[in-house]
Amino acid sequence: MNEAVEQLLQRFGEAVTEWTQVRANEVRLTVKPTCWREIAQYLRDDPLWQMDYPADLTVWDTGTEFGVYLRLWSSVHNHNVVVLTSISREEPRIASLATLYPGVDWHEREMYDMYGVIFEGHPNLKRILLPDDWEGFPFRKDYLAEPSGDPLHGPQPVN
Amino acid sequence: MPVSPEKQSTLSTVEILSQGMVINVGPQHPSTHGVLRLILTLDGEQILHCEPVIGYLHRGLEKMMERRPYRHNIPFTDRLDYLAALSNNLGICQCIERLGGVEVPERAKYIRVLLMELQRIASHLVFLGTFGTDLGATTMFLYAFRERELVLDLLEECTGARLTYNWIRVGGVPDDLPDGFAEKVLAFVKVFRQRLKEYDQLLTRNRIFRSRTQNIGVLPKDLALAYGTSGPVLRASGVAYDIRKVDPYEVYDRVEFDVPVFDRGDVWARYLVRMEEMHQSLRIIEQVLRDMPDGPVQTKLPKIFKPPAGIAYSRVESPRGELSFMMVSDGSPNPVRVHIRAPSFVNLSVLPCLLEGAKVADLVAILGSIDVVLGEIDR
């Protein structure tokens, strides 16, 4: 796995800001959001990686920025990769991976639904779990979660 | 030249037919196994397009978990996949253990594996029963639930509950097995081996059942991988991805069992994978009961549990596939983020591909073979 990581670092240089070998067959990469899609594509297509299985994709809110988490698995090498990045809270935009991995389509829709993250290039970015006319993005840390207002459309500010 | 009204009406009929007819299945429909709505576009009895609509059971569990201390979240997980509550309990506990670096005593690991496999049998029996009913084999439902009752009795004796067990704890299990439990489990194993043969006679060798399932809803290997499907759905498409082998947890690396894999990728193969998995579960149960050491079943933890800041994930092989919890901690008593990667959520996302070009009559068979639980899809 070391050779694969070396080639990745050579190819992307400073775009990979940090990496750790968590276990023998698992690495964790922290990357810049601008290269999100390029790195995912490289991990999928490079013969040393062949990460052909999109295991998971999610977002979390630290209060100052959004973290994005992607986990991939390779059916050929049995390698695991966790890719992390962070994007701005004010303008949460990141490239969509739905055309690379059809499996992240619903994950990205869910994260748009809950956090309002815009996945650029997603073929069908609309709410998935909440009603289409829901107001706001409930998983954000500053979302008002008081049980007032119309339960079918979201909580309203309390005066 | 203006078109006569008669001609206009025929034109519009042709137009309607070329666009297909839209019909709605669910959300309240017995064969959707929960509140799932499917918007189907049909050309005659062929399905042109399918759009699943989910979210009717959304409770915001992930957000609720952020507002509670780590260990208070275990009962919530019972309500995710309510047919395999113990697998969910184990998933969240493993994630918290990895985050906090908690060690689990040996005996607790064996007890966990024993309960997991009993749970897998119970869950697959619900699949078997409802799948039979979906295809018109109502008898299967009665037999499968008769045997499931035996498993539920065992689990009830051990945990005190029949569905929402809430039994796995961070650092072990809350209590040891009751007296004489091993003998009762072994008696069940003996009975159940016999019953599995009966099922084979009733369904597996049934010609009508075969023709309703073989070469229906074929999912090719590359598509199954690219969509991130897991569990029996992926293994029926020829990928040997079982977390118990790929990333062994608890004591799965110390027991011998086979991972059934089929290349056909159809409804029939998904059924066969689950049938074979029940055989394998019985093998695991016997080995676990044989090798189980004595000792404590829980690690002592502080009253206020604060794992160090960081990100951790765990994954377990639930009866439906890869169940993964991902947690972010900032060192405080509550998690910053809990994410649940529910196997049914991902497996359902491949349904539009499977249904495209299929017959309406096969819809129920295909959906039933994916074996979704809406509780964990909507969370």
Side-chain angles (χ1 to χ4, degrees), chain B residues 9-164:
Chain B
S9 71
T10 44
L11 264 182
S12 59
T13 314
V14 169
E15 217 170 66
I16 288 168
L17 283 177
S18 67
Q19 283 170 357
M21 184 173 72
V22 177
I23 69 158
N24 194 46
V25 181
Q28 304 291 345
H29 191 276
S31 67
T32 56
H33 301 260
V35 274
L36 167 68
R37 180 178 164 211
L38 299 172
I39 303 171
L40 302 177
T41 312
L42 306 180
D43 175 15
E45 53 174 337
Q46 205 176 35
I47 300 171
L48 298 176
H49 181 71
C50 159
E51 192 193 344
V53 181
I54 56 174
Y56 294 96
L57 275 181
H58 179 65
R59 293 147 288 177
L61 281 176
E62 293 174 0
K63 179 90 172 179
M64 282 156 84
M65 288 180 177
E66 291 173 11
R67 297 181 136 218
R68 280 158 181 80
Y70 284 90
R71 286 174 295 180
H72 291 197
N73 290 324
I74 301 170
F76 282 143
T77 60
D78 287 327
R79 277 85 187 163
L80 289 166
D81 177 355
Y82 39 78
L83 295 178
L86 282 166
S87 307
N88 300 287
N89 291 166
L90 182 67
I92 194 167
C93 287
Q94 275 189 1
C95 191
I96 301 172
E97 282 157 10
R98 281 194 193 175
L99 205 55
V102 179
E103 284 295 321
V104 180
E106 280 297 294
R107 186 173 172 82
K109 287 184 182 173
Y110 278 90
I111 294 177
R112 282 177 173 191
V113 170
L114 171 65
L115 295 177
M116 269 336 105
E117 295 309 316
L118 285 173
Q119 180 78 92
R120 190 179 317 278
I121 291 173
S123 171
H124 281 354
L125 282 174
V126 176
F127 159 78
L128 192 60
T130 53
F131 188 59
T133 318
D134 284 346
L135 296 180
T138 326
T139 322
M140 199 60 237
F141 184 82
L142 301 174
Y143 285 171
F145 271 62
R146 180 184 66 187
E147 268 70 78
R148 179 173 178 256
E149 201 57 31
L150 300 175
V151 186
L152 290 193
D153 284 347
L154 288 171
L155 290 176
E156 185 182 8
E157 189 179 338
C158 180
T159 69
R162 289 168 55 83
L163 208 61
T164 51

Side-chain angles (χ1 to χ4, degrees), chain B residues 178-198:
Chain B
D179 290 337
F181 190 70
E183 288 73 42
K184 284 179 189 163
V185 174
L186 286 174
F188 161 76
V189 169
K190 203 174 161 202
V191 171
F192 192 60
R193 279 235 164 85
Q194 210 56 43
R195 299 284 160 83
L196 277 171
K197 281 186 196 147
E198 284 180 22

Side-chain angles (χ1 to χ4, degrees), chain A:
Chain A
M1 195 159 193
N2 288 338
E3 196 193 337
V5 176
E6 263 170 41
Q7 292 213 358
L8 175 89
L9 294 176
Q10 236 168 36
R11 166 85 169 69
F12 286 98
E14 290 186 350
V16 181
T17 51
E18 202 188 321
W19 72 276
T20 26
Q21 183 106 28
V22 186
R23 285 181 294 170
N25 65 344
E26 180 170 338
V27 284
R28 183 177 288 183
L29 310 167
T30 310
V31 305
K32 287 185 178 160
T34 42
C35 295
W36 184 248
R37 197 187 146 90
E38 285 72 35
I39 287 174
Q41 183 148 21
Y42 178 81
L43 290 176
R44 190 192 67 166
D45 297 337
D46 190 80
L48 282 176
W49 290 94
Q50 294 189 44
M51 312 303 292
D52 48 4
Y53 183 81
D56 202 357
L57 181 139
T58 192
V59 170
W60 77 95
D61 185 0
T62 64
T64 49
E65 58 185 12
F66 287 141
V68 189
Y69 162 100
L70 170 73
R71 184 158 59 80
L72 303 170
W73 178 71
S74 164
S75 68
V76 185
H77 306 294
N78 188 16
H79 286 170
N80 299 288
V81 176
V82 172
V83 193
L84 304 169
T85 191
S86 50
I87 52 176
S88 117
R89 246 177 135 264
E90 282 66 46
E91 212 184 315
R93 284 177 177 278
I94 192 159
S96 166
L97 307 180
T99 45
L100 287 178
Y101 296 106
V104 304
D105 182 323
W106 279 23
H107 288 301
E108 290 187 342
R109 276 180 67 188
E110 190 192 339
M111 289 309 121
Y112 164 71
D113 199 359
M114 299 303 167
Y115 287 98
V117 175
I118 309 287
F119 290 91
E120 285 167 332
H122 190 285
N124 183 25
L125 197 64
K126 59 177 191 184
R127 289 198 185 269
I128 183 164
L129 291 178
L130 297 174
D132 288 340
D133 53 355
W134 190 272
E135 288 160 21
F137 302 106
F139 280 17
R140 289 188 180 192
K141 287 287 181 192
D142 53 2
Y143 183 77
L144 197 75
E146 306 304 325
S148 62
D150 178 359
L152 291 177
H153 297 95
Q156 307 298 320
V158 186
N159 293 321

Side-chain angles (χ1 to χ4, degrees), chain B residues 250-279:
Chain B
E250 307 303 340
V251 292
Y252 279 115
D253 49 349
R254 288 179 234 165
V255 289
E256 254 181 58
F257 65 101
D258 300 321
V259 177
V261 178
F262 293 86
D263 291 329
R264 307 172 56 109
D266 55 0
V267 172
W268 169 247
R270 294 195 270 279
Y271 161 81
L272 287 181
V273 168
R274 293 197 179 91
M275 289 301 275
E276 187 52 35
E277 274 188 14
M278 288 198 275
H279 283 285

Side-chain angles (χ1 to χ4, degrees), chain B residues 241-256:
Chain B
Y241 183 63
D242 187 319
I243 311 289
R244 295 175 294 174
K245 287 279 189 201
V246 169
D247 182 11
Y249 52 95
E250 307 303 340
V251 292
Y252 279 115
D253 49 349
R254 288 179 234 165
V255 289
E256 254 181 58

